[in-house]
């Protein structure tokens, strides 16, 4: 087993074979997860787009329409929102889940949405094609174990201060319960830099892919929190070998109920999607010519 770092983190270091299911040592090749006909982890870039939160039927339908026109098949929006401030918009809850079911039916899009706790999990997994576990819940072990007995793929965000090893151990909680379909998502970590919401850790993408067979998605939106930095960081994530990108977009970012400052406008979103596919495709050329493995 290859060890990511010299660990000084208590029980993370206790068992050197501790992420046996998350490690690529015990599998043949990379994991490809099919979500509604879209492969995550294969040669084609997977794009997940949508607003931060479900706000209304009009809002989710408008976004679903233009992301579909951009050639994107996976729609993400939160019905249950984990917010730092208890007075901020907390999501529409079950009503939001029902709106996501309508989006799925109307646009034939795969749905990615978050379960924030054990109570919300069953309702979320009924409609979601991928259940998200957010950064703040990366070490909510009861929630991770619940995700481990779900039939749905799980998108596991990296915790705000988590090391690569802690992230893989969180994935291990899900995998060891029997759910083999885990997608890792880098969404930035807290550092001393204060020009952006978080620091987008681009190097963790190839680093985690060297250790694990699990697909890796880059979320530049939550990583930087400023829309002017989202496109460059999304493209950097793709260039670093991300299997996909998760990007927030909204028709009217200035009136969004959450994360409007990082939401791309429709035309910006479709521009990003085009560029991201071009970069991903050029990497495949590099693969073929040089035998490099992204
Ligand atoms: C989100 O995905 O909208 C979100 C709150 O993300 P994170 O858990 O990365 O902060
Ligand atoms: Mn958000």
């Amino acid at each position: 087993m290859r060890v990511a770092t010299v660990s000084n983190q208590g029980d993370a270091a206790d068992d050197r074979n501790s992420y046996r299911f998350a490690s690529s040592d015990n599998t043949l090749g990379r994991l490809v997860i099919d979500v509604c006909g879209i492969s995550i982890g294969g040669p084609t870039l997977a794009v997940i787009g949508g607003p931060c939160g479900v706000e209304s039927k009009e809002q989710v339908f408008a976004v679903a329409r233009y992301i579909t026109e951009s050639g994107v098949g996976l729609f993400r929006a939160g019905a249950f929102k984990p917010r730092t401030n208890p007075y901020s918009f907390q999501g529409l809850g079950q009503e939001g889940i029902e709106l996501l079911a309508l989006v799925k039916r109307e646009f034939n899009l795969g749905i990615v949405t978050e379960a924030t706790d054990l109570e919300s999990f069953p309702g979320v997994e009924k409609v979601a094609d991928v259940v998200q576990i957010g950064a703040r819940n990366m070490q909510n072990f009861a929630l991770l174990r619940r995700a481990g007995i779900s039939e749905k793929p799980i998108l596991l965000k990296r915790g705000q201060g988590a090391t690569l090893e802690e992230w893989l151990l969180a994935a291990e909680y899900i995998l060891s319960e029997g759910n083999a379909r885990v997608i890792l998502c880098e969404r930035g970590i807290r550092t001393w830099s204060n020009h952006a919401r978080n620091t987008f850790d681009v190097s963790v993408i190839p680093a985690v892919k060297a250790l694990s067979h699990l697909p890796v998605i880059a979320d530049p939106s939550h990583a930087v929190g400023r829309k002017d930095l989202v496109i460059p960081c999304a493209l950097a994530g793709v260039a670093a070998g991300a299997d996909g990108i998760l990007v927030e977009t909204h028709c009217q970012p200035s009136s969004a109920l959450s994360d409007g400052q990082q939401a791309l406008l429709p035309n910006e979103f479709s521009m990003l999607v085009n560029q991201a596919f071009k970069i991903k495709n050029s990497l495949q050329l590099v693969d073929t010519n040089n035998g490099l493995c992204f």
Side-chain angles (χ1 to χ4, degrees), residues 77-82 90-94 97 113-117 120 123-124:
F80 295 93
K81 298 299 308 172
Q90 304 283 310
L92 298 181
Q94 189 54 35
I97 295 293
T113 194
E114 178 163 355
T116 47
D117 48 31
S120 61
V124 166

Side-chain angles (χ1 to χ4, degrees), residues 30-224:
R30 304 210 60 79
L31 177 66
V32 180
I33 300 178
D34 178 274
V35 182
C36 304
I38 290 158
S39 295
I40 304 183
T44 307
L45 188 74
V47 181
I48 306 172
C52 180
V54 178
E55 298 171 7
S56 66
K57 181 176 170 192
E58 293 66 36
Q59 174 238 16
V60 282
F61 271 45
V63 178
R65 188 162 294 115
Y66 70 76
I67 75 156
T68 307
E69 285 164 7
S70 306
V72 169
L74 298 172
F75 182 86
R76 193 206 73 119
F80 295 93
K81 298 299 308 172
R83 304 306 303 282
T84 301
N85 182 337
Y87 305 116
S88 298
F89 175 60
Q90 304 283 310
L92 298 181
Q94 189 54 35
E95 185 192 338
I97 295 293
E98 280 148 31
L99 291 174
L100 290 172
L102 290 181
V103 168
K104 185 174 167 61
R105 209 172 60 202
E106 180 77 17
F107 296 91
N108 198 24
L109 287 162
I111 301 293
V112 183
T113 194
E114 178 163 355
T116 47
D117 48 31
L118 289 174
E119 290 69 37
S120 61
F121 205 105
V124 166
E125 75 180 337
K126 258 189 211 132
V127 168
D129 297 294
V130 175
V131 179
Q132 174 177 317
I133 304 243
R136 292 158 188 78
N137 269 321
M138 191 205 81
Q139 286 191 319
N140 180 337
F141 302 118
L143 192 61
L144 296 174
R145 287 198 194 281
R146 176 62 184 82
I149 58 167
S150 176
E151 311 251 292
K152 297 291 172 71
I154 306 297
L155 187 142
L156 177 65
K157 292 216 179 183
R158 181 184 182 186
Q160 289 168 303
T163 63
L164 190 170
E165 191 175 18
E166 288 164 337
W167 191 19
L168 286 177
L169 288 168
E172 193 73 15
Y173 267 88
I174 303 168
L175 298 164
S176 62
E177 290 293 327
N179 188 347
R181 297 191 296 167
V182 175
I183 302 155
L184 300 169
C185 177
E186 159 58 21
R187 48 76 73 204
I189 48 169
R190 183 70 59 83
T191 69
W192 286 278
S193 277
N194 62 2
H195 64 280
R197 182 172 174 176
N198 293 292
T199 297
F200 179 47
D201 185 3
V202 73
S203 73
V204 85
I205 295 168
V208 75
K209 289 190 76 162
L211 293 170
S212 175
H213 62 295
L214 300 173
V216 183
I217 297 269
D219 168 358
S221 303
H222 295 90
V224 298

Side-chain angles (χ1 to χ4, degrees), residues 227-245:
K227 88 163 189 168
D228 60 324
L229 305 184
V230 167
I231 292 181
C233 290
L235 298 177
V238 177
D243 298 297
I245 49 175

